[in-house]
Each structure stands twice: as structure tokens, then as C-alpha cells.
Amino acid sequence: MNLVAAPARLSTAEADFDQKFQQRLHWSAEQDAAIEERVAAILADVRARGDAAVLEYTARFDGVQAASMGALQLKADELAAAFDGLPAEQRQALQAAAGRIRRFHEWQKTQGGETAMYRDEDGTLLGQKVTPLDRVGIYVPGGKAAYPSSVLMNAIPAHVAGVREIIMVVPTPARRDGSSKDSKGDKNPLVLAAAHVAGVTRAFTVGGAQAVAALAYGTAAIPKVDKITGPGNAYVASAKKRVFGTVGIDMIAGPSEILVLADGSTPPDWVAMDLFSQAEHDELAQAILLCPDADYIEQVQAAMNRLLPTLARAPIIAASLAGRGALIHTRSMEEACTLANRIAPEHLEIASRTPQRWEPLLRHAGAIFLGAYTSESLGDYCAGPNHVLPTSGTARFSSPLSVYDFQKRSSLIEVSEAGAQQIGRIASVLAHGEGLQAHARAAELRLKP
Amino acid sequence: MNLVAAPARLSTAEADFDQKFQQRLHWSAEQDAAIEERVAAILADVRARGDAAVLEYTARFDGVQAASMGALQLKADELAAAFDGLPAEQRQALQAAAGRIRRFHEWQKTQGGETAMYRDEDGTLLGQKVTPLDRVGIYVPGGKAAYPSSVLMNAIPAHVAGVREIIMVVPTPARRDGSSKDSKGDKNPLVLAAAHVAGVTRAFTVGGAQAVAALAYGTAAIPKVDKITGPGNAYVASAKKRVFGTVGIDMIAGPSEILVLADGSTPPDWVAMDLFSQAEHDELAQAILLCPDADYIEQVQAAMNRLLPTLARAPIIAASLAGRGALIHTRSMEEACTLANRIAPEHLEIASRTPQRWEPLLRHAGAIFLGAYTSESLGDYCAGPNHVLPTSGTARFSSPLSVYDFQKRSSLIEVSEAGAQQIGRIASVLAHGEGLQAHARAAELRLKP
């Protein structure tokens, strides 16, 4: 592996820029037909056989043998014990992060997340009643990408929304070399501790399509939930998409992305490290810099060359930059903003002395980080807003995970006798126009003779 | 066809109530594998061949021959002409309904649908920026279920949200007997007029999975949209589910439902007609009455027997009631509320003198209609709130179509130099805990030495 930082070097002034730019951006969310088929079979099997099927798949895919689902359940005291067992520094960091995330989502709840109504001039009461979901399932990936911060970011909004039961599933695959400490596979104590801090009610050490199926349909041991959130591999994504409608789901996540819009005023080392911090997630992650200052781009490249060898995950970073990264020289900051909107990135840093100048030009992004001090990694852990964000251009039409994802609205309508006279006449005309006579008659019965 | 009103007659006091109740409620949202396969092929074909494929499927499925997509486009002036050609009564009713729907959704936009932010004690700015989607597609069913009110309910929230381009697709299948007026099939003037009133930008007379594909991927004639909303048949539902992720979609709708909670104070004729008004939609629609007063249930049954023969759609109503309807005698209004929550109905009428007493007990419903004068049909057309509501129990986790469906949020984060010192230390500890060193270093670079 050649450990160099070799992102594509593009310029909007080149004739073939558009073609090269599209090639870099390309990422297909299309699903593999073979995976789809296997997932459909797993879902049907868990639906039919319940816990027995979940236990079999857990043995087969995770190498974890358990006689009953009880052995795969983590109760509240086990989560609390994991928290108590952490070093003080980690305990404090988890609690401080949870506190900040909770405060942001509590504020968010005041922005449309509460029941509200008004009365019309004709006495009609109209409004929306906001209710938390009864029970949700949170999928937490196991293995190499087991992130306690994801537990906080999924469970805290649910807790703030008022969800009574938060069920976490997290696979604990046994190591293939047999070195796992116990027969249940390796548990990540930070993940368990985060679940404790975030208000998770119960947890099961199961994963994959079988865990999604158990949450969607319910088994004897795992209760049926109303919605499933959280990231996972291709099997989990396919399973979530397939149970959508039976339960609610959040977005299907693609590889992580960062776009840095730089005017040249931020230390190049900072920008280089911010690009790395996204590239280190996995080889398919995407890190892009847009900047109108050619000299500054060279400084960032030099900083990358210097810093890359100092990082433990340098091989992943190098692969990500070579395959999907780009440093793009633009004609102006305005042009950079236009390109940013075409990308609709998950994370968008405005590394500028005047971020407020550019923010209004940016229409599509999961989260916008303003100014040199706002590194994306602060948002990933503890600034407060959610780190579960739309990827692969879906910020064009979707939003960060939020307290709203764990609530639903019911419309409220109360028409007075006087109101029914006015509104009923309109409804009657339109219902007859649609050929729905009973609709019309229901309105007409309320009219005074 | 035996034209009698024969809903199931159940009582919660019976030993086998639960089983019978579950049987009545059962409706499967599972998709037909054969339909799924055909839809996947149509999507792939339209994606590869664009307009040529759309024209071929439109000829094959709708019997509409067109030399180019231009011939299937309806421009703004054609929509306006349809409106101008309506009788005055219909023009006025459409505008009055549109006005009421627009007012409600404008109010809704003030409930969390606008950019907001706050500053933390450490100077950190946090918030959410709300932006309308750029372009949306609205699917309007053709044929027997072409409802102008659906055009209003889908397009007006998009318009209020600030969406610049609203593209409507509506199939105009030619009659099989060859009696259609022109080669493009039959257009419904009320649907076209509603599109004019609601602010639709452009319309195409195409439908089915091919229309969904064209909107999701874009063709030379039909621009790619960011989100597709609106009801359709099984092919349309399967296509929407399949393109979810490439574009946003609203819910997958099942058959329509009404649940009436009655304390016996509303005239029985009114309740009977309200049940009919849902049953007349189609044979799979569901109408249920919950009431603790056995005499009143008999009065409603008598009213149904008397009123049914007077209605044009009596055969559909009779089939719906016999197959899926129920009059359920409960022990109390409280028990009725508990059952209502198990059903999580699309429409829930509280036919009571004291609807405010029962409303707080109701957790799951698409829309709640309070009091005798609030017939569901008023909400269907013009009370103001949206009539696109979650069906088949999905009100447990989803909400009415809204202005929020046509907007998205971007998180805003601006950390000050002082804030970066505090937040950065927390982020550093957690990032190291997750093994993400570049994340930690990005935070640490902002710390003062």
C-alpha cells in the first residue's frame, strides 16, 4: 500500500471538469439483487419461526452460540455496570456529550415538536397533536464500526421525544480466531455505557437482517417496535428498506462525506486533518475541498503529505483520498457554493473568516459547520445537533435524524355548527364533482334546512 | 349483489372478541413478488431508455398513442383553461377549499417549518436551517379514482413550503371500448383545474411505474425531482418503494379507514352516513363503529339499512361493510379509546357531546374529528388539514402529509474559539475511545497550547 495523500486535483477552469467531477461524485445506492433475495428469505424465516430463527442466524453469522434469547439480552444493570467500569475521563466525556446532545434536542422539540392549535374566524378549531412513538428499535453496528457516539445520537432524541421503550440491538460477533473472551462474542463496553447514559431500556446482542426482522415483526423475546433507526451494512440496509411500511425507518445511509469550502484563512493543517477525519471512516468515504486560492490548495496538499504518515488509519485514509477524494480549484467562493449545492454533502465546513457571507448561498447539506473553529469532529461527538445525517446527495430532500423522527402528528379538527354550514357547502360541491355521493350527503346532513 | 348493510357485529364482552377483532383488522401491506419483478424491469428500462420507454408503456398500459412526450405534456395555460371552463359553483368551491387548505399549511409552517437558532452559554451557535425542496413530483391516479381534492392536498403544501417546481403526473387511460374523446385518453377537467388552483408548474398525462421512474431518474422531457408524493395502485406503490433513497417519497397508502367513537349523542343517520362515506371509496375500505350503548348501535344499523339503497355506490359500500366493516359494542367509552389506539385508524371521529374528554386518551390516529358537526368528509375536502393520512395502523409511527414533507433541515453549528476548548476536549476523549485518531486530532489542533 502506497501511503500518499493523492486526492484528485481538479479545476473548474478545465474543459472536462464537469465530466471528472461527476465521476468523482458517482456512488450508487442500488442494491445487490443477491443480497435482496437472501434478506427476503431471512425476514420471512424470522417472521415464521421467531426466536428460533434469530438464534440460528446469530450462531451462523456471528459465531455466537446461545441456548435462548435470554442469554443474548442485556438488562439495564449490565449497561449500568459497563458505565461504572469505565475510566473517569470516559465517563465524564460520555455524560458531557449526552448533556449537550440532550439540550439541543430539547430545544428542537420546542420548534414544532409540541401539540399546537388555533381557532378560525368561523369557530373551527384546527391543529396538530404531537405524540411520541410507543416503542423504537435502535440498530448499532458491531465489529469494526461500533460507535458509542451513534448510540447517543440515536437514543437521546428518542428519549427526549418521550418514547417509553428504547430497544437496542448490537451484534457481538465472535473473533474468527477463537480469541473472544466469552461465548457471546466481544461486547464493546463504551457502547454499553453509552446505552446506559442515553436511556436505552433493553438491549440484545443480535444483528444483521435477523435483528431488523425481530424488531419489525416481534418475537417472543424481542418486542415489535414502531420504528427502527440506526446504520448498518448492506444486509441491514436492505432489511430496513423491506420492512418500511410495517414499521417506520430512518434514511438508508451511504458512505460518509465531508466538503470543505475554504477561502484560505484557516490553518492548512486544520483543513487537512478535517478531510482526514472523514476519510478515516472507510475506503468509500469522500473528502472534498473547494477553494478559489491555488496557493492555499498547495498548502493543504503539503499538510496532508506531512500529516498522513503520523496517523494510525493512514492506509484507509490514503485509499479513500485516492479513490474518492478531490481538491478542487474554483474561480470564486460563489462558484464553490454553487458546486456545493450540486454535491449536497452530508457535512459542509465553511472554513472562512466570513462564514455568514456564504451560508445563505448554501441550500443542500446535512449539517453546516461555520468558521475555522467548528471542526466536523466536534459535531460528530458533542456540539449538540445530531450526527446522523443524509448522505449521497439525499440532503436535497432529507434531514438530520431528530426528535421529530420519534414523534408523530395527528391532525385535530373541530367544526362548529356554524362552521359546518359554510364548509359543508364547499365539501358537498366537491364531493359530487368526484362522484362520492355519501361524502356529499354526510356534509349535507349537517346543514340547517 | 345483495345490497344490505352487514358489518360484523361484535362485542368486547364475548370470549372470542380478540380473535374476531384481529381478523377484521388484518390487512397485509406485503407486496406481490410478481408485481415487484415487473416494476423493477420497468424502472430499469425507463432509466436506460428515457422517454422512448415511457411512451411505449403509456401506449401499452393506457392505450394512449403519442409520437413524443410533448404531446403528453399539459402546460400552464391548458390547466388554466380547464379551470375557466368549469361551472361557477365548482370554481368557487375549488378556490374556497384551496384557500382553507393554504391557510392551515401556512400556520403549520410557523410550527417548526422555519429556520431557527440559539446561542449557548459558551458562545456556540446551534440551530436548524429550513429550505424548501427544489422540485417535487406529484402522482395523481387516473381512471376511477381521479380526485381533484388529492391534487390540492399534495400540491398546496409543496407550494406553501416554497417548492419552485411542482410536476404533476396523471394517467389518462383511453376507454377500452374506444369511446374516448381523443387519442390522449380522457382528461378529468376538475383534476386539471385543481392543478391550476394549487400552483402545479407542469403536468404530464403519464402514470404507473413508468411515471414514477421518469420522475425519479429524469428523462429528456420529464425533469428529475427530489421527492414523489401521492397515492397510486400496487404498481405505483412498489415503484415508489423501490426508488426510495434515490428520491424521497411519502408513505405507501393502504385502503382508507374510518373509526367512529360514539357515546350515543349524535343523530344515528349522521354516523351511518359517515361510515358509508369511507366505505364508498372501495371494497377494501374499512368502517368501524365503537360504542358502549347497545341501543344506539341498533339505531345506527337501522339507519344504514334505510339509507344504503338511496346511494349510487351502494354495491361498493355493501361489499366494504360485509368484508371489513364492524359495529363493536364496548363496555365503556374508555375501553373504546383503548381499542381505538390498537387500531390506530386513518380517520377517527369522536361523535360525542364531550369530545375533549376522550381526545387526551387517543394516542394513535391520522386525524381526529371532534364532535357531531365534524364529519370526516369536511376534512377530506376543505377543513384545512391534509387528507393524505397514514393508513393500516401506520399512524403508530407516521404523520399526515404536511408542509414539512416539502422542506428539509440542515443543522447549523458555529463553535467559538472558547467553545472549541471545552467541546474539543470531550470530542478528543470520545474519538480516541472509538479508535478514530484523525477525528481526535482535528479537535486537538483547535486547542490552545
Side-chain angles (χ1 to χ4, degrees):
Chain A
M1 169 72 71
N2 194 5
L3 284 191
V4 295
R9 299 291 297 269
L10 308 178
S11 164
T12 56
E14 289 164 27
D16 59 351
F17 170 75
D18 240 58
Q19 193 196 336
K20 286 183 181 165
F21 178 65
Q22 286 303 339
Q23 279 171 359
R24 274 280 116 167
L25 286 188
H26 181 75
W27 185 80
S28 171
E30 292 298 300
Q31 292 185 348
D32 183 309
I35 290 181
E36 274 196 69
E37 217 168 286
R38 289 176 68 185
V39 164
I42 294 171
L43 295 188
D45 194 21
V46 171
R47 192 172 200 175
R49 296 196 300 128
D51 289 328
V54 175
L55 287 168
E56 277 179 33
Y57 290 116
T58 302
R60 193 191 309 171
F61 298 136
D62 294 342
V64 172
Q65 307 286 342
S68 73
M69 286 300 296
L72 300 181
Q73 183 168 351
L74 297 171
K75 294 210 175 125
D77 54 351
E78 200 166 346
L79 304 180
F83 177 78
D84 294 337
L86 291 181
E89 188 183 42
Q90 287 189 335
R91 283 205 310 274
Q92 285 156 12
L94 271 183
Q95 281 185 316
R100 292 194 62 95
I101 297 165
R102 194 171 290 123
R103 276 199 298 283
F104 176 80
H105 289 86
E106 278 166 357
W107 169 81
Q108 189 175 53
K109 196 174 172 182
T110 68
Q111 305 297 307
E114 289 164 342
T115 297
M117 60 196 86
Y118 67 101
R119 209 172 274 279
D120 231 338
E121 55 280 10
D122 63 11
T124 305
L125 182 93
L126 299 171
Q128 51 196 22
K129 170 173 171 155
V130 179
T131 325
L133 306 195
D134 283 352
R135 191 190 286 137
V136 302
I138 296 196
Y139 190 96
V140 178
K144 62 174 180 170
Y147 296 142
S149 57
S150 287
V151 178
L152 300 184
M153 292 292 184
N154 278 275
I156 291 175
H159 197 253
V160 169
V163 175
R164 289 178 229 175
E165 281 190 79
I166 303 173
I167 315 286
M168 179 172 92
V169 293
V170 54
T172 54
R175 286 186 214 145
R176 295 196 180 271
D177 61 4
S179 68
S180 292
K181 279 177 242 153
D182 69 27
S183 64
K184 291 191 205 169
D186 289 323
K187 292 172 203 157
N188 181 328
L190 268 167
V191 165
L192 270 49
H196 167 73
V197 170
V200 167
T201 325
R202 268 198 284 178
F204 295 90
T205 57
V206 296
Q210 59 275 18
V212 174
L215 291 169
Y217 306 128
T219 68
I222 301 182
K224 175 175 169 35
V225 301
D226 296 307
K227 186 164 187 168
I228 302 171
T229 71
N233 62 19
Y235 289 85
V236 173
S238 172
K240 279 171 66 183
K241 195 165 169 179
R242 200 165 271 273
V243 299
F244 169 58
T246 303
V247 296
I249 63 167
D250 61 344
M251 284 301 300
I252 305 296
S256 199
E257 311 146 359
I258 187 171
L259 179 70
V260 181
L261 250 168
D263 64 7
S265 62
T266 301
D269 280 23
W270 298 14
V271 167
M273 196 60 80
D274 291 357
L275 294 169
F276 286 171
S277 75
Q278 208 50 230
E280 78 173 335
H281 271 297
D282 65 73
E283 291 82 352
L284 289 175
Q286 182 156 59
I288 295 179
L289 172 69
L290 296 176
C291 177
D293 179 341
D295 286 346
Y296 183 77
I297 292 179
E298 290 309 326
Q299 293 171 41
V300 172
Q301 177 71 63
M304 291 174 108
N305 295 346
R306 196 177 68 250
L307 293 167
L308 181 65
T310 70
L311 291 168
R313 294 169 76 91
I316 295 172
I317 296 172
S320 157
L321 291 175
R324 303 202 70 219
L327 309 185
I328 302 176
H329 182 221
T330 60
R331 293 186 183 83
S332 63
M333 283 293 280
E334 285 79 0
E335 188 186 48
C337 290
T338 304
L339 279 180
N341 286 331
R342 279 177 58 189
I343 297 172
E346 182 188 15
H347 303 97
L348 201 173
E349 280 189 14
I350 314 180
S352 161
R353 248 193 217 105
T354 54
Q356 281 77 9
R357 184 168 162 201
W358 310 117
E359 186 274 314
L361 303 184
L362 298 166
R363 294 178 53 74
H364 307 303
I368 302 175
F369 301 78
L370 295 103
Y373 280 95
T374 316
S375 76
E376 187 229 293
S377 68
L378 302 183
D380 282 346
Y381 290 105
C382 53
N386 212 288
H387 82 189
V388 181
L389 300 168
T391 58
S392 319
T394 59
R396 292 186 62 81
F397 55 84
S398 52
S399 302
L401 191 70
S402 68
V403 74
Y404 315 126
D405 284 293
F406 299 101
Q407 307 176 312
K408 73 281 191 324
R409 289 169 280 110
S410 304
S411 298
L412 294 173
I413 309 176
E414 183 178 39
V415 179
S416 63
E417 185 178 350
Q421 308 307 308
Q422 279 217 344
I423 303 176
R425 287 191 170 81
I426 306 169
S428 162
V429 172
L430 293 173
H432 282 301
E434 293 185 351
L436 295 177
Q437 189 194 8
H439 281 70
R441 295 266 304 269
E444 290 157 10
L445 283 173
R446 271 86 172 179
L447 298 180
K448 281 187 225 169
Chain B
M1 170 70 72
N2 195 4
L3 284 191
V4 295
R9 300 292 297 268
L10 308 178
S11 163
T12 56
E14 291 164 27
D16 59 352
F17 170 74
D18 240 58
Q19 193 195 337
K20 286 183 182 166
F21 179 64
Q22 287 303 340
Q23 279 171 0
R24 274 279 117 168
L25 286 187
H26 181 75
W27 184 80
S28 171
E30 293 298 299
Q31 291 185 348
D32 183 312
I35 289 181
E36 274 197 68
E37 219 168 286
R38 289 175 68 185
V39 164
I42 293 171
L43 295 187
D45 194 20
V46 171
R47 192 171 198 174
R49 295 196 300 128
D51 289 326
V54 175
L55 287 169
E56 276 178 35
Y57 291 115
T58 302
R60 194 190 309 171
F61 298 137
D62 293 342
V64 172
Q65 307 286 342
S68 73
M69 287 301 295
L72 300 180
Q73 184 169 351
L74 298 170
K75 295 210 173 125
D77 54 352
E78 201 167 345
L79 304 180
F83 178 76
D84 294 335
L86 292 180
E89 188 184 43
Q90 288 190 335
R91 283 205 311 274
Q92 285 156 15
L94 271 183
Q95 280 185 316
R100 290 193 64 94
I101 296 165
R102 193 170 292 124
R103 276 199 298 283
F104 176 80
H105 289 86
E106 278 166 357
W107 169 81
Q108 190 175 52
K109 196 175 173 183
T110 68
Q111 304 298 306
E114 288 163 343
T115 297
M117 59 196 86
Y118 67 100
R119 210 172 271 280
D120 232 340
E121 55 280 9
D122 63 11
T124 305
L125 180 94
L126 299 171
Q128 52 197 22
K129 170 173 170 154
V130 179
T131 325
L133 306 195
D134 284 352
R135 191 190 286 136
V136 302
I138 296 196
Y139 191 95
V140 178
K144 61 175 180 170
Y147 295 142
S149 56
S150 286
V151 178
L152 300 183
M153 292 293 183
N154 278 276
I156 290 175
H159 198 253
V160 169
V163 175
R164 290 179 229 174
E165 281 189 78
I166 304 172
I167 315 286
M168 178 173 92
V169 292
V170 53
T172 54
R175 283 185 215 147
R176 294 195 181 271
D177 60 6
S179 69
S180 292
K181 279 178 245 154
D182 68 28
S183 64
K184 292 190 203 169
D186 289 322
K187 292 172 203 158
N188 181 328
L190 268 166
V191 165
L192 271 48
H196 167 73
V197 169
V200 168
T201 324
R202 268 198 284 177
F204 295 90
T205 57
V206 296
Q210 60 273 21
V212 173
L215 291 169
Y217 306 128
T219 67
I222 302 182
K224 174 174 168 39
V225 301
D226 297 307
K227 186 164 187 169
I228 302 172
T229 70
N233 62 19
Y235 289 86
V236 172
S238 172
K240 280 171 66 182
K241 194 165 171 177
R242 199 165 272 273
V243 298
F244 169 58
T246 302
V247 296
I249 62 167
D250 61 344
M251 285 299 301
I252 306 293
S256 199
E257 311 146 359
I258 188 171
L259 180 70
V260 180
L261 252 168
D263 64 5
S265 62
T266 301
D269 280 20
W270 298 13
V271 166
M273 195 60 79
D274 291 355
L275 295 169
F276 286 171
S277 76
Q278 208 51 229
E280 78 173 334
H281 272 296
D282 64 76
E283 290 82 352
L284 288 175
Q286 183 155 58
I288 296 178
L289 172 70
L290 296 175
C291 176
D293 179 342
D295 286 347
Y296 182 77
I297 292 179
E298 291 309 326
Q299 291 171 43
V300 171
Q301 176 72 62
M304 292 174 107
N305 296 344
R306 196 179 68 252
L307 292 168
L308 182 65
T310 71
L311 292 168
R313 295 170 75 93
I316 296 172
I317 296 172
S320 156
L321 291 175
R324 304 201 70 220
L327 308 185
I328 302 176
H329 183 221
T330 61
R331 293 184 183 85
S332 63
M333 281 295 279
E334 285 80 359
E335 187 186 48
C337 291
T338 304
L339 278 180
N341 285 331
R342 278 176 61 189
I343 298 173
E346 182 188 15
H347 304 98
L348 201 174
E349 281 189 12
I350 315 179
S352 161
R353 247 191 218 106
T354 55
Q356 280 78 9
R357 183 168 163 202
W358 310 116
E359 186 275 313
L361 303 184
L362 298 166
R363 295 178 51 75
H364 307 302
I368 302 175
F369 301 78
L370 296 103
Y373 281 94
T374 316
S375 76
E376 187 230 293
S377 68
L378 301 183
D380 282 345
Y381 290 106
C382 52
N386 212 286
H387 82 190
V388 181
L389 300 168
T391 59
S392 317
T394 60
R396 292 185 63 83
F397 55 84
S398 51
S399 302
L401 191 70
S402 69
V403 76
Y404 315 126
D405 284 293
F406 298 101
Q407 307 176 313
K408 73 287 194 310
R409 289 170 279 107
S410 304
S411 298
L412 293 173
I413 309 176
E414 183 178 39
V415 179
S416 64
E417 185 178 349
Q421 309 308 308
Q422 280 217 345
I423 303 176
R425 287 192 168 80
I426 306 168
S428 162
V429 171
L430 293 174
H432 282 300
E434 292 186 350
L436 295 177
Q437 189 193 7
H439 281 69
R441 295 267 302 269
E444 291 157 10
L445 284 173
R446 270 87 172 177
L447 298 179
K448 281 187 224 168

